């Protein structure tokens, strides 16, 4: 079995929530793990140098047979999918690999206000005790970190440039669906019905969207900080083992109480907006959606 649709990104734009919502549909089968990163694995120059990057790529699928095994047992489903956010960042090389192996599969891309996405990525690394700088100082260090081969999650600004990647996917694949994070948050049932229609499966299926996935933010306690940290191999191993046993929705409910979301200061927002303005204008033309609120 092979997937006939892929959630190709973008990180911190609702891909994890969408993955788990789609799993609830009786006609949709999802890969055994999210983020196999198979088609982007050849682009990774390992080891990457950011703090904790080694833990991120410990589960990357690098061989074809292991990738195919992610979909065994899913024969009963009408459509089968996987989700790997790196597929968007490495689109120049990933797209031809996907096309060669899977053909003209359907592609779903999740996008989000790039300023909010940048801060969400920062908050994710704060949660994991990997980021130690203020958001403003981290932005100033971004080019240096890119040069030193840090993972894409550290690319706070550059990770929010969407137009080139989306345009490339739309040129190569016949069916590309864009899901906006803000719409998935505010009107999930309507958005999911649009996705179901896109995938040609039954619509109006009851999906539990009460759980929000991949919480980030500042730990509220030392215990929360310890449990989320990627610094300590034993604790990280225990956490990953527990995640395999306890359903993800229960983990996320606990996480929602363990981390505190903090606002972005207005000065930093004002500094970031001009960086994204041209890209957003291009994106409006590609998606035919009014994105003035982002600017």
């Amino acid at each position: 079995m092979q997937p006939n649709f892929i959630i190709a990104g973008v990180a911190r734009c609702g891909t994890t929530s969408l993955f788990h919502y789609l799993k609830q549909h009786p006609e949709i089968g999802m890969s055994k793990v999210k983020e196999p990163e198979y088609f982007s694995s050849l682009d990774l120059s390992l080891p990457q140098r950011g703090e904790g990057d080694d833990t991120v790529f410990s589960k990357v699928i690098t061989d074809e047979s292991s990738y195919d095994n992610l979909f065994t047992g899913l024969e009963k489903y009408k459509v089968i999918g996987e989700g790997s956010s790196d597929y968007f960042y490495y689109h120049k090389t990933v797209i031809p690999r996907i096309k060669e192996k899977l053909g003209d599969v359907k592609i779903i891309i999740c996008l989000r206000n790039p300023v909010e996405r940048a801060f969400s990525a920062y908050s994710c690394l704060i949660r994991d005790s990997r980021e130690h700088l203020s958001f403003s100082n981290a932005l100033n260090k971004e080019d240096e970190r890119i040069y030193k081969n840090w993972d894409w999650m550290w690319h706070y600004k550059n990770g929010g440039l969407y137009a080139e990647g989306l345009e490339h996917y739309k040129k190569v694949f016949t069916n590309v669906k864009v899901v906006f994070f803000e719409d998935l948050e505010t009107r999930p049932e309507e958005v999911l019905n649009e996705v179901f229609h896109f995938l040609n499966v039954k619509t109006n299926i009851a999906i539990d969207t009460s759980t929000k996935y991949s919480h980030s933010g500042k730990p509220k306690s030392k215990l929360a900080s310890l449990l989320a940290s990627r610094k300590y191999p034993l604790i990280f191993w225990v956490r990953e083992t527990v995640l395999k046993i306890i359903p993800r929705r229960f983990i996320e409910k606990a996480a929602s109480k363990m981390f505190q979301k903090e606002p972005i200061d207005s000065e930093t927002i004002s500094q970031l907006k001009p960086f994204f303005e041209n890209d957003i204008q291009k994106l409006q033309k590609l998606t035919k959606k009014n994105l003035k609120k982002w600017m």
Side-chain angles (χ1 to χ4, degrees), residues 98-276:
I98 294 176
K99 192 68 178 290
E100 181 181 0
K101 179 172 172 60
L102 303 179
D104 191 16
V105 293
K106 293 182 177 181
I107 302 293
I108 300 174
I109 294 173
C110 300
L111 302 179
R112 179 182 191 175
N113 181 320
V115 174
E116 295 180 0
R117 194 221 71 85
F119 191 69
S120 179
Y122 169 79
S123 299
C124 179
L125 296 175
I126 287 287
R127 177 198 68 193
D128 294 349
S129 298
R130 295 167 66 192
E131 178 62 87
H132 307 291
L133 301 179
S134 68
F135 187 43
S136 179
N137 288 338
L139 291 172
N140 292 332
K141 284 282 188 180
E142 181 166 327
D143 289 343
E144 179 184 334
R145 289 169 165 181
I146 292 173
Y147 177 77
K148 291 182 177 178
N149 191 35
W150 290 30
D151 173 43
W152 261 102
M153 189 63 78
W154 302 89
H155 300 201
Y156 304 137
K157 292 188 299 182
N158 286 273
L161 297 175
Y162 309 135
E164 181 185 278
L166 178 59
E167 184 175 27
H168 192 183
Y169 270 102
K170 289 173 73 71
K171 281 183 177 179
V172 176
F173 294 98
T174 305
N175 297 292
V176 177
K177 170 72 175 173
V178 176
V179 173
F180 288 93
F181 175 87
E182 296 84 356
D183 295 337
L184 186 62
E185 286 275 290
T186 57
R187 48 185 185 90
E189 291 82 9
E190 183 179 343
V191 171
L192 287 173
N193 264 334
E194 291 174 2
V195 174
F196 296 155
H197 183 266
F198 173 74
L199 295 175
N200 195 28
V201 294
K202 292 179 181 177
T203 57
N204 299 312
I205 298 294
I207 303 295
D208 181 3
T209 60
S210 61
T211 302
K212 309 303 178 187
Y213 290 82
S214 196
H215 287 276
S216 63
K218 186 178 180 179
K220 291 183 179 180
S221 66
K222 290 183 178 179
L223 177 60
S225 179
L226 183 65
L227 291 174
S229 175
R230 291 175 179 263
K231 286 183 178 179
Y232 311 104
L234 179 59
I235 293 176
F236 178 73
W237 177 82
V238 170
R239 187 180 75 186
E240 293 300 297
T241 302
V242 169
L243 285 171
K244 294 177 182 178
I245 299 172
I246 300 177
R248 180 71 182 261
R249 64 182 184 277
F250 296 125
I251 299 293
E252 293 295 346
K253 286 180 180 179
S256 67
K257 296 178 172 58
M258 293 168 62
F259 303 102
Q260 177 67 48
K261 288 188 177 295
E262 297 184 337
I264 319 173
D265 66 272
S266 57
E267 184 178 347
T268 304
I269 293 175
S270 298
Q271 291 173 353
L272 278 175
K273 281 188 175 181
F275 179 83
F276 296 113

Side-chain angles (χ1 to χ4, degrees), residues 1 3 9 95 97 106 211 220 290:
M1 296 298 296
I95 286 176
R97 292 180 194 134
K106 293 182 177 181
T211 302
K220 291 183 179 180
N290 188 333

Side-chain angles (χ1 to χ4, degrees), residues 61-81:
I61 302 297
T62 58
D63 65 279
E64 188 171 16
S65 61
S66 296
Y67 180 74
D68 292 341
N69 285 338
L70 295 176
F71 309 98
T72 57
L74 301 181
E75 293 83 359
K76 67 177 181 178
Y77 295 104
K78 184 176 182 180
V79 296
I80 298 170

Side-chain angles (χ1 to χ4, degrees), residues 12-31:
R12 308 308 302 170
C13 293
T15 59
T16 303
S17 290
L18 183 61
F19 180 93
H20 287 282
Y21 297 159
L22 294 183
K23 281 182 70 173
Q24 297 179 45
H25 195 290
E27 294 182 313
I28 300 176
M30 300 302 291
S31 60

